Amino acid sequence: MVDPVPPLREPAPAKLNLYLHVTGKRDDGYHLLDSLVVFAGVGDRIAAEAADAITLAYEGPFADAMPAPEDNLVMRAATELAALFSIGTGAALTLTKSLPVASGIGGGSADAAAALRVLIRLWQLPPDDPRISKLALSLGADVPVCLMTRPAVMRGIGEEITLLKSFPELHIVLVNPGVGVSTPAVFKKRTGDFSAPVDWRTDMDDADAAIEHLKETRNDLEAPAGQIAPEIADVRAALDREDGVRLARMSGSGATCFGIFGSAKAAETAAENIAGAHPDWWVAAARTYGA
């Protein structure tokens, strides 16, 4: 008897925008961004097994909040990758959903990117084929950087990615108040002048220096997101009250916020305090991936 082949598994880590400047707007309506992106040791997961057709199932604490599988970006990523390389077989995909939905930490984009990575392995495709990068961008602005899962500066509409030569690991706390925020709605609320891009060094490996530089930046979407979800201000206040917090701000288009702490112990203590005071919030202490 032949032993069954175990499924391939691929993490879909949370994506954090440590800063996010809106630098312009194209004629087609897409906004131009400048953002420092890192990934955290907490997230979703995709598993894949060989099958006759492409299918998607959900599990995990946020599975019930997901759309019908056929409406998930993971299914689009899988079917378009199969079509791109004329794949004659399918894949049974399982998404373990551990991140809140529509939370500004790249869950959907990270899931789609993880699906591409795991299917590249399952179908034995060339990972450096330039058609895969083009497919990733067509799926969404954040998918290309999530495909790489490394600290990077992302510009344009997501297609201009500069991987950092070095970047420190950071101790963070992620907090979501249980409110989903629509990214298009946040951009629609944004008003005022555009911001200048940040001159971020690609070889910064000192955490103190990185945090001080981040204090000179901001998230241009935090104010408009706060108009849609006032709870964001409560989350920021909860993080700012914790001992040892070095910097707190919203990630992406919200509503998840992060706090950077000086040590793993400080981050864990803050997460325990916030979770205890707000049991209906999603709270996680984690460490970001360095470069």
Side-chain angles (χ1 to χ4, degrees):
M1 182 177 179
V2 178
D3 292 334
V5 178
L8 298 177
R9 303 183 188 279
E10 189 72 25
K15 173 195 67 70
L16 299 184
N17 300 92
L18 295 185
Y19 73 79
L20 194 161
H21 289 191
V22 181
T23 59
K25 188 176 182 180
R26 302 196 319 190
D27 291 341
D28 60 6
Y30 283 95
H31 285 82
L32 301 174
L33 307 177
D34 172 40
S35 184
L36 174 58
V37 176
V38 297
F39 296 86
V42 60
D44 300 334
R45 187 181 66 204
I46 294 278
E49 298 179 90
D52 294 332
I54 297 174
T55 61
L56 175 62
Y58 300 131
E59 61 183 28
F62 291 98
D64 290 344
M66 297 299 290
E70 59 268 22
D71 296 328
N72 192 297
L73 195 61
V74 166
M75 281 293 285
R76 181 180 161 197
T79 54
E80 293 191 11
L81 183 67
L84 188 63
F85 287 91
S86 302
I87 301 299
T89 59
L93 300 170
T94 302
L95 168 58
T96 303
K97 190 64 184 172
S98 301
L99 297 178
V101 176
S103 56
I105 47 179
S109 297
D111 295 343
L116 291 177
R117 290 196 304 271
V118 78
L119 290 172
I120 287 169
R121 293 163 56 201
L122 181 70
W123 292 334
Q124 298 182 344
L125 303 177
D128 296 328
D129 191 303
R131 292 176 292 175
I132 296 175
S133 297
K134 292 180 181 179
L135 170 59
L137 183 60
S138 74
L139 295 171
D142 284 341
V143 179
V145 75
C146 288
L147 190 62
M148 298 179 179
T149 320
R150 291 176 55 190
V153 171
M154 181 181 74
R155 293 195 173 104
I157 62 168
E159 82 284 11
E160 299 174 24
I161 298 172
T162 302
L163 295 175
L164 301 187
K165 297 176 183 177
S166 59
F167 192 78
E169 293 182 344
L170 300 173
H171 303 286
I172 61 167
V173 175
L174 297 173
V175 183
N176 182 278
V179 177
V181 180
S182 164
T183 298
V186 172
F187 275 103
K188 190 174 181 179
K189 282 279 189 182
R190 196 206 72 83
T191 58
D193 295 334
F194 294 113
S195 295
V198 178
D199 183 18
W200 192 274
R201 283 173 40 195
T202 63
D203 60 349
M204 186 177 294
D205 57 8
D206 180 77
D208 290 334
I211 293 168
E212 289 305 309
H213 196 9
L214 284 171
K215 290 178 180 179
E216 302 171 6
T217 67
R218 60 195 166 274
N219 183 342
D220 285 341
L221 299 182
E222 187 164 337
Q227 296 177 41
I228 298 170
E231 298 90 343
I232 291 170
D234 298 331
V235 172
R236 277 289 311 274
L239 285 164
D240 283 329
R241 283 194 296 267
E242 290 300 318
D243 291 338
V245 67
R246 305 284 304 279
L247 175 70
R249 68 172 44 140
M250 189 185 80
S251 177
S253 57
T256 302
C257 298
F258 64 86
I260 302 175
F261 291 80
S263 67
K265 178 61 177 176
E268 290 165 2
T269 299
E272 291 172 0
N273 291 342
I274 295 172
H278 303 277
D280 54 336
W281 288 3
W282 177 81
V283 184
R287 181 177 296 184
T288 66
Y289 299 168

